[in-house]
Every structure is written in structure tokens, then in C-alpha cells.
Amino acid sequence: MKRTVTFLTLSFLLVACGYGSPAQMGATGVTVTVDGQLAMVASWCGSAPDGVRVYRYDTAGELQDQADIKAPSLTGGSASLNLEEIPAGWSLREGSLKFEDGVKYRVAAYSSKTNAMLSPVDFTTKVKKDIPLDRILIQEYLSDRDKNVLLTDGEFKARARLHC
């Protein structure tokens, strides 16, 4: 019995500490460009991300791959990516960036070199009407639900450092 309790305690600690899961290295948010298009915003510490993953939630609430985007060499600790018109230097590795109304999506920047992922953000196309031009959407994870929060660029970067 004591051996089982020890094993379960160690297993819980490994899972709670994120062993086997990608390490977090910052945060991902969503904003709207001056042209009214969705854009991903990322702020990181340490190694820069080299890609962005977009997922869509299926009808059962499970995440499905939507798109994998290769980033150019990033520096400076933050970057943005228009999700509706990929800018020069970025490239779509696989999938599609066609967003459907009423579908919930998740986006997160990641580093394949360090197996680290920035904290993700969930959104629908409806956010294009809800986000002011100078704000970035993130989620705060509460015990019973997620809460959408709109931040300035400075506030977003400060929150991202909490995930380092």
C-alpha cells in the first residue's frame, strides 16, 4: 500500500510540474489589424518561437489541427502574425487559415527546438467586432471557466513574462 501511495504521489507531482508536457515560454494573444483582420501576437522569453499552430474545436469540444505556420527568424521578444494574410517571411506548412463564423479556434506560438509552447488563446471570428484596435485578447483561466481579458501591448508583455 505504501509503495502505491508513493508511486501515485510521484506521478501526481510529475504531471503537476508539467513533466512530459511542452514547457511554457510566454504568451499568445489575438488582436485585430487596422484592416479588420485577425492577428496573432506573441511575447516570449528565452528562445524565440519558430512556428504557430492553429487548432479548431470540433463539435465534441476536441482540438483538431487547422494550420501549422513556419515563422521567420524572430528576435526582440515579441512578434505578430496576420492570420488572414500571411506576411512575407512566414509560410504555411500545412492546413488552412480559412476561419468559419461560429467555430472556436485556438492559436499558440511554439518552439520545435526546445519543445516549448507559449500560453494559447481561444477565439472565434466574432472577436473582430469585440477587440478595440489597441487591445490584445487573452484568457485568464479561472477554476470554473475561462475569462476573456483585453490588454494593452505593455500589459500583454507583462502577463507573458508570468508564463516564463
Side-chain angles (χ1 to χ4, degrees), residues 3 5-6 8 26 30 32 41 43-47 60 76 82 87-88 97 99 105 108 112 121 124 126 143 148 152:
R3 185 178 245 176
V5 171
T6 301
L8 291 174
V30 172
V32 178
V41 180
S43 181
W44 63 89
C45 48
S47 299
N82 185 323
L97 289 173
F99 298 102
Y105 296 93
S112 59
V121 62
T124 66
K126 182 181 176 291
S143 61
N148 286 346
T152 65

Side-chain angles (χ1 to χ4, degrees), residues 30-35 37 41 127-128 130-137 149-157:
V30 172
T31 191
V32 178
T33 69
V34 293
D35 297 327
Q37 295 180 318
V41 180
V127 299
K128 291 200 265 187
D130 298 338
I131 302 175
L133 285 177
D134 60 346
R135 295 292 187 256
I136 299 168
L137 172 74
V149 178
L150 294 172
L151 304 172
T152 65
D153 185 61
E155 291 168 335
F156 172 71
K157 289 175 181 173

Side-chain angles (χ1 to χ4, degrees), residues 61-119:
E62 299 293 322
L63 288 173
Q64 304 296 319
D65 288 338
Q66 173 79 15
D68 186 15
I69 305 157
K70 182 180 187 233
S73 181
L74 300 174
T75 59
S78 65
S80 63
L81 164 67
N82 185 323
L83 292 172
E84 296 185 68
E85 288 183 33
I86 297 179
W90 297 80
S91 60
L92 186 63
R93 290 182 192 169
E94 63 182 59
S96 166
L97 289 173
K98 293 181 181 164
F99 298 102
E100 298 175 35
D101 292 340
V103 175
K104 187 175 178 181
Y105 296 93
R106 172 172 283 182
V107 65
Y110 69 89
S111 171
S112 59
K113 296 173 186 127
T114 61
N115 193 32
M117 180 172 280
L118 278 66
S119 179

